[in-house]
Amino acid sequence: MLIAVIGDCLLDISVRRAGPIRTAADAPAVIRPSPGGQGANVAVWLARRGAAVRLVAPMADDAAGRLLREALDAEGVELAALPAARTGSVVALLDADGERTMLSDRPSLVVDALADLLADADWVHVSGYALRDAAGPTLARALAALPADVRVSVGGGSLPPGDEAVRFAELLRVAQPDLLILSRDEADALEQHPSTLTVVTAGRDGSTAWGPRSGGVHVDAQWLDRPATDTTGAGDAYAAALIDELAHLMAWPPRVAELERAMQAASRLGAEVTRVDGAQGRLADSAGP
C-alpha cells in the first residue's frame, strides 16, 4: 500500500525566547533549525510507522532543499519534488508552554504532473495549506478524478474564519474527500462537510469524530508523565497515526470501534510528539536510521 502526501516541506526555525522581544534591540533566545512543513511532517510520521510514503511537495535545489532531501531520504520517504523558485521555511516562536506562533514562507504548488504522481497511490492525504494554495481549484479537481477505491483525506492547515473558510468549503465540495482532520478552531470556522467523516482535535480536550456509519466518537487526550515542551507538529503526528490505522481497513467508512481505536493511537502519538523538540523530533523509543 502506498500513501501519497501532497503538501509542503519546509525548513523549520524554532525560536524559544528567554525573555520579551525588544524592538530595535537584541534579545537572547534558543534558535533551532529542523525539518518541517505539514506535508513532510505527516509523511515522516507515516514512514516511522512502517508505511510506504511518497511526498509530493515544491522544493528548489538550494541549500535548504538539499538539507531537507537528506532528511527525507534518511526517513525512507520518497520525494516527488515539484518545481519551486526557492525552498520554503517557517519561523516558529515558542512560548513557555510550548505553544507556537508561526511566520511562514510557503512556495506555491505546480500541479501539472499530479495525475502521474498519484497513479499508484492507495491513499492520498492533502495538506490544507496545499488545497488553499493558488492551485487549489486544479488540485481539488484532480482529487475528485481519482479512482473510487483511492481514499482521500484533507487536513485543515490553520484555516481562518470568514472568506477563506467559505472558499475552503467550496474546494472540499469539489474534492469530495473521505476524511477531514481539523483542529477545533478550524472546525469552528468551517461548517461540517455533510458526507465526510470528520475528526476534530482539541489538544487537552481530546478529539471527536462524526460522520456516516461512525456516529459520534470521543477520545480523551493522552496524558504523559512529562510536560509539553513543543507542540509543533503534534497535529501532524496525530493525522499520520490516524491515517495509518484507517488505511488498512477493508470497508469504508470505519465502524465506531475501528475509528475509536485509530483515534486512540493517534492521540498517543500526538501527545508524545509534544515532549520532544521539533515537528519531526525523534521519540526516545522510536526505531529508524
Side-chain angles (χ1 to χ4, degrees), residues 5 13 20 23 53-54 85-86 91 106 117 121 128-129 132 134 163 172 176-177 188 190 207 282:
V5 179
I13 304 169
T23 304
V53 189
R54 175 182 299 142
R86 67 190 183 286
V91 176
R106 289 182 174 85
L117 296 175
Y129 293 112
R132 289 163 46 206
D163 291 345
L172 291 176
Q176 292 292 312
D188 288 344
L190 180 69
S207 53
R282 188 167 289 282

Side-chain angles (χ1 to χ4, degrees), residues 254-265:
R255 297 183 184 276
V256 170
E258 295 169 332
L259 181 57
E260 186 174 19
R261 283 195 298 270
M263 292 168 65
Q264 288 170 342

Side-chain angles (χ1 to χ4, degrees), residues 14-21 30 92-102 204 228-232 274 277:
S14 65
V15 180
R16 191 179 297 276
R17 295 175 291 155
I21 295 177
V30 176
L93 305 177
L94 304 176
D95 65 17
D97 296 322
E99 290 294 337
R100 79 276 189 268
T101 300
M102 297 187 297
R204 296 176 181 177
T229 59
D230 185 355
T231 61
T232 307
T274 69
D277 289 329

